[in-house]
Amino acid sequence: MLDIKLLRDNLAAVGARLKDRGVTLDFHHEFRLVDERRRRLLAEVELLKAGRNKASEEVGRKKRLGEPAEDLVAEMREVGDRIKALDQSVKECEEQIAVFLLTVPNLPHASVPMGADSAGNVEIRRWGEPRRFDFSPKPHWEIGEALGLLDFERAARMAQARFAVLTGMGARLERALINFMLDLHTKEHGYTEVFPPLLVNAAAMTGTGQLPKFADDLFKTHDESLYLIPTAEVPVTNLYRDEILAPGTLPRSFVAFTPCFRREAGSYGKDTRGLIRQHQFNKVELVTFAEPAHSYDVLEQMVRNAETVLQRLGLPHRTVVLCTGDMGFSAAKTYDLEVWLPAQGEGGAYREISSVSNCEAFQARRANIRYRSAPKAPPEYVHTLNGSGVAVGRTFVAILENYQQADGSVLIPEALRPYMDGLERIANRQPRA
């Protein structure tokens, strides 16, 4: 959520910066006119309350002198009714403004490149050279099904399309990736591991920006107002909801493995085969709470932490900074990591495997997460940052496609072998039900 004072004082500038994101909102009718009415009502309330206070003093004086005060008391009662009505109108204005503010996205940082869509994203660096195959590389779903690692048909029967069953060494590889990522981030990068609830309330979803804008992409329980998390960013960012963090305790960095659940609304027809776009998938998420003065240094470090995962696994990738028109709702600046998938598109393609964002105070203001820079300093909003460290399913895909062999087997990256009892290759079809 943006600072309401920023809108009041710099509304034209805010509107211009949001247009850079391709967002046009009716600030005049939805905010300015309502806010002006609210302030007029408040001014009238203050005048009436001041008059009522004077009248109360006069009633007291008259009663002490034994003079009649019934007319003044009746007048005060009418003023009280008017104040009550005005207070209700003020409340309605404030509620209307609050609802509108929840629809306003974050402002892009000054360093974010201008652009209307993904074509405007800017590549920052690349790591690794895509492998040259002496055979035609197969897509991961063909490799996984041939080796008995993946079963999409049975998953669809027990659920629906865009689910998968991982079997045998497929399940083992997924678990190995999760443990590898958690160990890397906790033992080498200094993150604290947390396992949060997979169901959260609407307030938590609102705090990170999933509600109200992305309600159609969420799975909601039928009998309670709880939602399956679309990412661990939601519960982990809400760890300190409505709290004030003590001086000297920032940054606080957390890593969480969770399943994630998304309807993928609006994505029908895209990536219908394989694991790229599933309703349920695993992810290792990084979340940091930082002081505003240092949050962009933290952002760069988080990007490097996510890149390290792919480098240890020997997966070629590139890092891009998203342009104004391609950023997420809550982000002020975002980097995407895109891994090379040799069987995607015509001759291979880079596909997103991690997004790392600085949301500045946008989420903290919605979730009321603050800190003190000194013991007696006034509380300020923290900056929240989040990023995939990384998406497990897409890493699974990248390993199958990049490490596939001509005989149909798949080599295991060296970094993962300790997590798979030293196994070097998946060569045989796994037993199936």
Side-chain angles (χ1 to χ4, degrees):
M1 182 182 294
L2 298 182
D3 186 349
I4 193 170
K5 292 200 286 188
L6 179 66
L7 270 67
R8 285 171 178 155
D9 298 339
N10 301 279
L11 190 57
V14 170
R17 291 177 67 187
L18 288 177
K19 283 183 179 179
D20 292 342
R21 296 193 57 155
V23 175
T24 301
L25 296 171
D26 188 357
F27 282 103
H28 180 68
H29 291 93
E30 296 291 334
F31 176 75
R32 187 188 293 279
L33 293 181
V34 179
D35 192 48
E36 289 176 350
R37 179 169 183 264
R38 170 187 165 278
R39 284 188 280 184
R40 288 196 303 271
L41 292 170
L42 282 174
E44 184 177 352
V45 167
E46 291 305 313
L47 284 174
L48 289 173
K49 287 181 177 179
R52 184 175 61 179
N53 290 339
K54 289 184 178 180
S56 295
E57 294 175 0
E58 180 64 13
V59 168
R61 187 190 66 82
K62 286 179 174 290
K63 287 185 175 181
R64 286 194 301 273
L65 296 175
E67 297 177 0
E70 290 79 6
D71 291 347
L72 195 53
V73 170
E75 182 181 335
M76 285 174 56
R77 190 175 296 113
E78 292 179 3
V79 170
D81 292 341
R82 175 62 178 162
I83 290 172
K84 184 177 180 180
L86 289 172
D87 283 341
Q88 179 60 34
S89 297
V90 169
K91 181 181 178 182
E92 291 171 358
C93 288
E94 290 174 344
E95 290 174 348
Q96 188 174 341
I97 290 170
V99 169
F100 175 71
L101 288 177
L102 290 177
T103 69
V104 181
N106 205 352
L107 300 181
H109 187 263
S111 64
V112 173
M114 292 282 293
D117 50 37
S118 60
N121 297 343
V122 177
E123 184 175 315
I124 301 300
R125 54 185 169 265
R126 291 192 181 199
W127 186 93
E129 287 293 328
R131 174 184 167 193
R132 294 182 180 274
F133 289 83
D134 55 8
F135 61 93
S136 179
K138 296 179 180 180
H140 67 277
W141 58 84
E142 290 186 14
I143 302 167
E145 288 177 331
L147 289 173
L149 310 179
L150 298 171
D151 192 332
F152 296 103
E153 183 180 346
R154 284 191 170 96
R157 286 208 301 266
M158 69 177 72
Q160 63 181 55
R162 297 198 177 184
F163 287 89
V165 174
L166 276 62
T167 304
M169 283 299 164
R172 183 67 179 273
L173 178 59
E174 182 92 351
R175 178 158 53 92
L177 283 167
I178 293 165
N179 289 334
F180 161 71
M181 293 178 197
L182 290 173
D183 283 351
L184 175 63
H185 293 311
T186 56
K187 295 178 180 179
E188 298 188 34
H189 297 157
Y191 291 82
T192 299
E193 185 176 352
V194 59
F195 191 82
L198 303 183
L199 287 162
V200 297
N201 57 34
M205 287 289 192
T206 302
T208 47
Q210 275 70 28
L211 289 177
K213 183 172 177 60
F214 302 106
D216 290 343
D217 207 30
L218 303 174
F219 287 101
K220 183 180 181 181
T221 58
H222 175 69
D223 57 346
E224 295 184 56
S225 296
L226 293 174
Y227 297 81
L228 285 166
I229 62 169
T231 166
E233 168 198 345
V234 177
V236 180
T237 302
N238 278 276
L239 275 175
Y240 297 117
R241 181 182 185 87
D242 293 324
E243 292 188 35
I244 299 175
L245 304 180
T249 62
L250 297 177
R252 298 189 185 191
S253 298
F254 297 93
V255 59
F257 150 69
T258 64
C260 304
F261 307 88
R262 297 181 188 177
R263 290 188 181 277
E264 293 292 346
S267 67
Y268 299 105
K270 300 178 183 177
D271 300 311
T272 55
R273 299 194 68 181
L275 295 172
I276 294 292
R277 200 179 296 274
Q278 296 271 286
H279 290 307
Q280 175 185 324
F281 57 95
N282 293 322
K283 187 152 64 83
V284 171
E285 186 76 4
L286 308 175
V287 173
T288 298
F289 303 85
E291 293 189 40
H294 305 301
S295 67
Y296 279 92
D297 293 332
V298 171
L299 175 64
E300 298 298 325
Q301 185 59 54
M302 290 177 69
V303 172
R304 295 290 188 183
N305 294 157
E307 289 173 336
T308 300
V309 175
L310 302 180
Q311 291 165 11
R312 295 284 180 89
L313 296 173
L315 296 173
H317 60 276
R318 67 178 186 175
T319 302
V320 301
V321 59
L322 300 193
C323 68
T324 52
D326 199 34
M327 289 196 306
F329 179 80
S330 298
K333 186 174 184 178
T334 298
Y335 290 96
D336 269 9
L337 276 59
E338 299 176 348
V339 69
W340 176 253
L341 299 180
Q344 300 292 309
E346 297 294 330
Y350 285 100
R351 297 297 302 270
E352 177 200 337
I353 197 168
S354 172
S355 285
V356 187
S357 300
N358 187 351
C359 298
E360 296 186 353
F362 187 83
Q363 293 178 326
R365 191 171 284 111
R366 295 167 74 110
N368 193 31
I369 307 169
R370 296 175 292 171
Y371 79 104
R372 295 186 194 274
S373 59
K376 295 184 179 180
E380 306 173 54
Y381 289 109
V382 303
H383 280 191
T384 62
L385 302 94
N386 65 79
S388 304
V390 293
V392 180
R394 294 193 178 192
T395 309
F396 186 105
V397 168
I399 289 173
L400 294 192
E401 294 198 4
N402 282 279
Y403 283 93
Q404 63 181 294
Q405 305 300 302
D407 63 1
S409 65
V410 175
L411 293 180
I412 303 299
E414 289 188 14
L416 285 184
R417 292 175 187 176
Y419 296 90
M420 299 191 72
D421 292 334
L423 185 69
E424 297 181 3
R425 179 191 301 259
I426 301 175
N428 301 315
R429 181 175 176 83
Q430 302 299 298
R432 298 289 286 273

